[in-house]
Amino acid sequence: MLFLNEICRSYQIDNGLTKLSEKCLGEVKSVYEKIDDVAACNQLKVLSAMQKNKLSESHFAAATGYGYGDSGRDALEKIYADVFHTEDALVRTQIVSGTHALAVALFGNLKAGDELLSAAGKPYSTLEGVIGIRKTEGSLMAHGVTYKQVELTEDNKIDFTGLEQSINPHTKVVLIQRSKGYAWRPSLSVEEIKDVIEFVKSIKKDAICMVDNCYGEFVDTIEPSDVGADMVVGSLIKNPGGGLATIGGYIAGRADCIERASYRLTAPGLGKEVGPSLGLTSGIAHGLFIAPSVVASSLKGAVFAARLFEELGFGVLPKFNEKRSDIVQALTLGSRERLSAFCRGIQKASPVDSFVEPTPWDMPGYDCDVIMACGSFVSGASIELSADAPFIEPYVAYLQGGLTAAHSIAGVVIAANEMLKLEKI
Ligand SMILES: *Cc1c(COP(=O)(O)O)cnc(C)c1O
């Protein structure tokens, strides 16, 4: 294969690894076809939402100050609502991250005396501070919201019995995390999320089902909001920003839930009326337009990594031919040296900061040291090829992103090579 020969030549890749990569690329072809088909469906969905809402060049003008009547921002929010098939959406440059978007949705929809229930075990690390699982000033718990979580069963499935026992008259919001986060569990499929939502609603009709949709957008042809979620929440520097959004988060869902969230983001009574797009509407819309194919590119890298690392004898989750619900590929590397080498390889393969050596650090919001490889155009954007990992046993690398398939595949080969060098010393 021309492409693999080029990588081999430019990056002095081991001959055996080049041959193995070629074999693996051949084996994942049929998976790639399915990925392209999903991307094509999602491309049409995004295109028609833009046309239906008459997205226009005039929407790209930069609003400033209060942002009253920012028509670009309003059009973008209608487009998001149509893509997710929801009544309304909040898509804002003032939302600084996925964690912030989740916090806005939670704080907006919970008050003292209400209970938050996590249906899929411990939520993503940064939410521990938001909820107050890790004692934090200003957390939901500090504000009088109570919290329960239902652990997954031994085979990593939703525990419906536990769920039934945990729902009570105070249960207000049920949080369902689609992606595995930093946990060795399969991500929840949209179908599994549907079962959870139907089950919750059959017990408590007015419980708000909220899905942490980070890393999940456009991996399937339907989203959790198509199967009954009252709110779906995510980050624009992940999937839906398509690598072009430079900041932002979204919450799409039922109009009343979005209104309460907007009162939390800005101020009660002001809500969605204020908050200027600051000239970022074009980039965010442009990113959304290409997001389905960018997600496909990153999935291709993940699928290839799953095949290659399985062949190299490492634990992989999911396997290359298993159904995916997010763009994250977990690889159990088993030693700190291998994990560091893998991250070094991903960094080396990056277009930006390729000369930097990633080292573990005490990142805010996480309870252990984290190592991150991310040489990206948008700082910290994990829709760009990146790898991160809590620096603890059993040294699992979480790989995601890749703006183009060629880059994500090349990155995986280079990272594997960096690791294999260790064994040769
Ligand atoms: C990334 C992520 C978050 C948090 O998003 P940030 O943008 O890093 O704050 C929350 N949940 C999941 C599942 C994520 O992958």
Side-chain angles (χ1 to χ4, degrees), residues 96-100 102 124 126-127 177-181 212-215 235 237-238 328 366 382:
V96 300
S97 67
T99 306
H100 187 199
L102 289 156
Y124 192 76
T126 57
L127 283 189
Q177 183 178 306
R178 178 175 177 176
S179 177
K180 59 182 81 57
D212 174 352
N213 208 24
C214 283
Y215 287 138
S235 162
I237 64 166
K238 291 182 179 174
V328 182
Y366 295 84
S382 44

Side-chain angles (χ1 to χ4, degrees), residues 160 163 167 171-174 176 193-210 224 227-231 254 256-257:
F160 285 93
L163 206 51
I167 296 173
T171 309
K172 181 72 180 294
V173 173
V174 176
I176 305 159
I193 292 172
K194 176 177 189 243
D195 293 342
V196 176
I197 295 172
E198 282 176 358
F199 187 76
V200 167
K201 300 266 180 186
S202 74
I203 299 169
K204 195 162 191 300
K205 215 172 86 210
D206 63 351
I208 296 171
C209 292
M210 162 176 162
V227 296
D230 299 296
M231 282 191 284
R254 238 169 55 194
D256 61 314
C257 296

Side-chain angles (χ1 to χ4, degrees), residues 45 83-86 190 194 221-229 232:
K45 181 159 75 173
V83 166
F84 287 98
H85 302 123
T86 55
V190 177
K194 176 177 189 243
T221 53
I222 51 169
E223 297 291 337
S225 43
D226 289 307
V227 296
V232 287

